[in-house]
Amino acid sequence: MKKISKHISYKEATNSNSANKLNLKNKPSKESIENMEVLAEKIFEPLREWAEGPIRVNSFYRSEELNSAIKGSYKSQHLTGNAIDISSLNEKTNAELFHYIKDNLDFDQLIWEFGNAVEPKWIHVSYSTTSKNRKRTLQVLRKGIYYILE
């Protein structure tokens, strides 16, 4: 079985309920797979080790067709395999995962997605393989309205 990293299978990284329902292909290029491998190495695997348990991959790679169908941003880093949406599956909360990434890992963007002021519904995190990571931290509680976090 093809793997993106020790704890992320190729199938998990490219799976999409929306793509399956709409019969869309979601096959990354070689370059996108390489980006996914770097993100997994720099963010996902260290986070999973710290969390001491599994983390759900909600969304990783998205083809242009899929991204368009779900009304994703035309400049989404998911299109190049540089972004992943995750949720906790163990005792660590999504908020704890968010703060660990913010305080300990290099990243381009880290977004507290929906939920409330105490707990995000999920976390979006990206890693740039072509430029300096911005360490930009945002919160979105309503679609399209982003707040910059300090």
Side-chain angles (χ1 to χ4, degrees):
M1 178 194 273
K2 191 172 184 179
K3 303 279 270 179
I4 298 299
S5 70
K6 181 177 179 182
H7 295 102
I8 302 175
S9 70
Y10 176 85
K11 183 178 180 180
E12 184 178 26
T14 59
N15 183 53
S16 165
N17 292 338
S18 297
N20 296 338
K21 187 164 47 168
L22 298 168
N23 201 25
L24 300 174
K25 293 207 180 329
N26 196 40
K27 187 174 181 194
S29 67
K30 183 177 183 246
E31 183 180 326
S32 291
I33 291 171
E34 290 169 359
N35 291 339
M36 294 160 73
E37 291 170 343
V38 171
L39 188 154
E41 173 194 338
K42 301 290 187 180
I43 296 173
F44 186 88
E45 292 298 334
L47 180 64
R48 192 183 189 287
E49 185 176 323
W50 171 79
E52 298 180 331
I55 297 169
R56 176 187 322 238
V57 174
N58 301 328
S59 178
F60 204 157
Y61 174 77
R62 287 188 207 144
S63 67
E64 285 187 33
E65 206 177 17
L66 171 59
N67 194 61
S68 179
I70 64 167
K71 297 180 176 27
S73 168
Y74 72 93
K75 57 185 179 179
S76 172
Q77 290 175 296
H78 288 283
L79 292 164
T80 56
N82 289 105
I84 189 170
D85 294 342
I86 57 174
S87 302
S88 179
L89 285 173
N90 67 20
E91 280 113 45
K92 302 288 188 201
T93 66
N94 287 340
E96 288 173 311
L97 296 181
F98 180 93
H99 289 291
Y100 182 82
I101 294 168
K102 184 169 92 47
D103 296 339
N104 298 283
L105 301 175
D106 192 24
F107 60 88
D108 190 49
Q109 285 197 110
L110 177 62
I111 306 175
W112 178 293
E113 297 268 9
F114 302 100
N116 56 42
V118 177
E119 182 72 6
K121 189 169 183 181
W122 72 87
I123 300 160
H124 167 100
V125 62
S126 65
Y127 187 90
S128 178
T129 55
T130 58
S131 60
K132 187 176 187 305
N133 284 300
R134 298 173 287 174
K135 300 271 280 195
R136 185 173 181 216
T137 309
L138 304 167
Q139 180 179 38
V140 60
L141 296 177
R142 287 186 297 164
K143 190 161 178 60
I145 301 174
Y146 290 81
Y147 300 96
I148 297 172
L149 300 176
E150 296 299 321

